[in-house]
Amino acid sequence: MLMRIGFRNVLRQKRRSVLTVLTMFGGFTLAAISIGWSDGTYSNIIEMFTRDRLGHIQVHHEGYLDRPSLYKTIDDSEAVGAIISDIEGVEQWTPRVFSSGLASAGEKSAGVQIIGIDPSRESATTHFDKKIISGRTFSTEAAREVVLGQGLGEILKVSPGDSVVIVSQGADGSIANDIYVLVGLVDAGDKMTNQTAFYLHLHDAQELLVLEGRVHEIAIVAEDLKEVVELAEVIQGKIADPKLVVEPWQVFARAFYQAMKADQQGTWIMLLLIMLVVAVGVLNTVLMTVLERTREFGVLRAVGTAPSQIIRLVIFEITVMAIIGIILGCGASYLVNYWLSIEGVALPTAFTYGGMEYDRMFTEINARSFYIPALTVLFSAMLVSIFPAIKAARIAPARAMRIR
Amino acid sequence: MNVQNNNSVILTENVTKEYHDNGVAVHALNGISMSIERGEFTAIVGPSGSGKTTFLNIISGLDRLTQGKTWLAGKLLSEMSGRELSDFRRDHIGFIFQAYNLIPVLTVEENVEYIMLLQGVPKTERRERVHGVLEQVGLEGYADRLPTRLSGGQQQRVAVARAIVSRPALVLADEPTANLDSHTAVGLIEMMRDLNQESGMTFLFSTHDVRIMERARRLIVLEDGRIARDEIQAAAAGRQA
């Protein structure tokens, strides 16, 4: 019966109920879109940073990331790769070799980072072929070809078809040097990498550095970005080699991850502000309800309604309005987020990353963008109802019934 | 504390109520001691401000007294917590207010049913009793109406139905006819007197209405918060007998 009274009271004060529901609906929708936008943007950026370059998960020899060394290698990369391929949730993997050297072309020379890649795997994993801005990517088989970062190409003043000499150190202690034909220039994603990236076919790099069959890194792309931490643990378990360390991007790109997390705090502050607006709107409604119905609450108390039942009645009425606001908000925010996830939002200034131009950011539809606003609206509505509800429950019946 | 071996529904001992109005102490009740027996049809009368409504509020636990003691159905009210008083009112007192005070969003049937629902009376019994009592007060066929679609007299009949449906020990009626026209008022008074005679339910009125005074078996006159007169009306008693 108290629920019936609650429902009918919501319907009785139609205008006020509609305004309250609209406040909650507005708060929910803003919050849901804001979370969808925030998550979508971060996913976009994380995808750019990891998927197009670093990978979601990396495998290294123990200690390699802290102190990189030519000798800290994954000795049987094909075998490790085969294990990784069989793990559910792994989309692609690609091996890499790293070293430093001095590149020269004609009168020009520059310090470079040699990066040996498997062209097919790298393209499948990080879209390497799409980053070529001039010339072409590697031939499938090793053919003494080199691809340079576009900045390095400018430093060395070379273009596809020119020869480039590299000098480095082999793993056997010998001086490693060779000459390669420049086949393409690549936008590696950032200025520093563009000015130092010296890409070789994996087999050419292994031959140059005397690293037969060995690599320094295996980069893995997961099917689901949100599952990388768990997936890294699974891979670590399957590889079962204590000398190899499997880490998700949150660990090997710790600084980036922490910067992202700090940035996301801003979203919570905005959410808090939205909820504050909702809470104020709801509080106004509940206070008015209690004030206007003082006499009714007095009668309910007089005929034997327990104080706890009055509290439940007031909170129930607000909860009914909150649920209606949430249901409407779910529908509206789903439509808006869906549309923005397809159409995106145009950025004021487009930017290029990894050879790809980004002129739009997209929202994301996920469970968070529904349950966080829903819980927040419900919680804040119920929270601000408690004090007026207690006030209603403590009404002195005799005094309340004197109010006209 | 229980008052044993007593036929009193209400027993008061030196009840005093004092409140402050703009810093001035007002003595609404000044040491009222009295007893109301089961089955009485009693009217408390007196000029405005004599303490009639305050007295009703005190004996029903709607208001707290300043001094003295009140027993209702053998229970000392001052020993009860707010929750216990709620439960006690629910189970032992029926209220009829001057302004009807029906719950506006509930239908006639639901208003009458409400107290039994709080008492946990099973649904079938609730419905039977509601229909029985609506018939008693002449409102059969009005069960699904909201109070706003009833006349004042009809609303007060619903209030009477609500007050008696749970078969309380005491029905308190505060100026029940004040907002009704003469014809409706007489009909309502007669109906309550019939209920009193048929079921033995105790009725206590606070009233200015001469028609209630004429029909009351006992008349308690309050003046300045004191009992000025307390008398059995032979004519009314005779009619009742």
Side-chain angles (χ1 to χ4, degrees), chain A residues 86-272:
Chain A
D86 289 340
I87 296 172
E88 195 181 343
V90 171
E91 190 179 302
Q92 295 290 342
W93 63 275
T94 186
R96 292 164 182 168
V97 162
F98 297 102
S99 189
S100 54
L102 182 69
S104 58
E107 298 292 309
K108 300 289 179 184
S109 62
V112 299
Q113 184 184 31
I114 300 164
I115 308 166
I117 59 168
D118 177 327
S120 307
R121 287 198 173 279
E122 195 69 38
S123 292
T125 308
T126 63
H127 312 131
F128 181 79
D129 52 343
K130 293 199 175 90
K131 300 174 191 171
I132 301 291
I133 54 167
S134 171
R136 62 171 174 83
T137 186
F138 294 102
S139 308
T140 311
E141 298 299 323
R144 293 189 179 280
E145 293 167 342
V146 64
V147 171
L148 301 181
Q150 64 176 135
L152 182 57
E154 287 164 10
I155 291 168
L156 296 178
K157 295 194 183 307
V158 289
S159 53
D162 293 342
S163 294
V164 183
V165 173
I166 182 78
V167 179
S168 185
Q169 185 191 338
D172 60 353
S174 63
I175 298 294
N177 58 78
D178 219 327
I179 185 165
Y180 299 90
V181 176
L182 177 66
V183 294
L185 295 171
V186 67
D187 179 356
D190 64 83
K191 192 176 176 186
M192 173 70 95
T193 311
N194 272 332
Q195 288 180 343
T196 57
F198 189 97
Y199 290 99
L200 291 176
H201 191 289
L202 183 68
H203 293 155
D204 281 343
Q206 285 171 330
E207 189 184 329
L208 173 72
L209 301 170
V210 197
L211 286 171
E212 263 180 74
R214 289 180 284 169
V215 300
H216 293 112
E217 178 177 288
I218 292 175
I220 300 162
V221 167
E223 287 171 358
D224 185 351
L225 179 62
K226 293 182 179 65
E227 303 290 333
V228 294
V229 174
E230 293 78 6
L231 185 60
E233 286 170 8
V234 172
I235 295 169
Q236 182 77 70
K238 294 273 185 184
I239 291 174
D241 182 343
K243 286 182 184 162
L244 299 184
V245 179
V246 183
E247 290 166 322
W249 70 271
Q250 291 93 331
V251 177
F252 64 74
R254 194 174 293 117
F256 171 73
Y257 176 63
Q258 283 169 349
M260 281 270 149
K261 293 295 273 183
D263 205 33
Q264 276 184 310
Q265 300 306 316
T267 311
W268 289 107
I269 292 168
M270 194 171 76
L271 264 183
L272 199 69

Side-chain angles (χ1 to χ4, degrees), chain A residues 1-2 4-5 8-9 12 295-296 299-309 397-398 401-402 404, chain B residues 57 62-63 82-83 86 89-90 95 97-99 101 103-107 110 113-115 117-118 162:
Chain A
M1 183 75 86
L2 282 170
R4 216 176 299 164
I5 295 175
R8 290 182 192 170
N9 271 318
R12 182 166 62 153
R295 188 184 180 88
E296 185 182 320
V299 175
L300 288 173
R301 291 281 290 115
V303 299
T305 311
S308 61
Q309 289 171 312
M401 286 188 294
R402 278 200 292 271
R404 300 263 170 203
Chain B
N57 287 340
L62 291 178
D63 206 350
R83 175 66 204 241
S86 278
R89 280 196 299 269
R90 181 193 67 197
F95 287 97
F97 305 100
Q98 177 181 340
N101 283 342
I103 299 163
V105 292
L106 296 184
T107 62
E110 289 164 343
E113 189 185 9
Y114 181 74
I115 293 168
L117 218 129
L118 294 178
R162 179 177 67 180

Side-chain angles (χ1 to χ4, degrees), chain A residues 29 55 87 124 140 166 289 316 349 369:
Chain A
T29 308
I87 296 172
T140 311
I166 182 78
T289 300
F316 176 77
T349 313
S369 61

